[in-house]
Amino acid sequence: RSPQPPENKVRACIMGAGNFGSCLADHLGDSEHDVLLWTRSAEQVAHFNAHHRNNEYFTDHVFPATITAIGPELPSAEVIKGLDVLLFAIPTEGVR
């Protein structure tokens, strides 16, 4: 039996596509929410969107199609205004 779509579908953006951010995105994506996964690597964005795989972390895992990678530019104000949730999963040393 396939999972039921959530009653309140959420549009979320996760800032950071490392281990923690990827796990958050995967969980939300499996729950059929619309997820943007931001990374500062254009190569990682292209690879993720073409293959639904994170070429840096969890290389054997296929992520749900409900996740779209974005970056390396920060999300625009328009994108952020359209979100229900913005989660930061960037390590402290990476914020500089």
Side-chain angles (χ1 to χ4, degrees):
R1 192 176 110 140
S2 60
Q4 296 296 315
E7 280 185 36
N8 298 316
K9 195 171 189 176
V10 170
R11 183 157 168 83
C13 180
I14 299 166
M15 303 294 290
N19 283 321
F20 185 58
S22 295
C23 284
L24 288 171
D26 191 54
H27 176 70
L28 289 171
D30 277 345
S31 299
E32 297 191 27
H33 295 291
D34 292 325
V35 181
L36 299 174
L37 180 61
W38 178 85
T39 178
R40 61 184 177 181
S41 166
E43 179 184 309
Q44 195 174 11
V45 169
H47 183 83
F48 188 95
N49 289 334
H51 306 285
H52 292 287
R53 292 179 185 264
N54 186 325
N55 60 341
E56 300 275 331
Y57 303 93
F58 307 107
T59 56
D60 294 332
H61 180 71
V62 177
F63 288 81
T66 53
I67 303 171
T68 303
I70 61 171
E73 300 82 16
L74 292 171
S76 68
E78 182 179 320
V79 168
I80 291 174
K81 286 178 184 176
L83 298 174
D84 298 303
V85 177
L86 179 62
L87 298 169
F88 289 89
I90 302 169
T92 305
E93 67 267 6
V95 174
R96 291 185 188 173

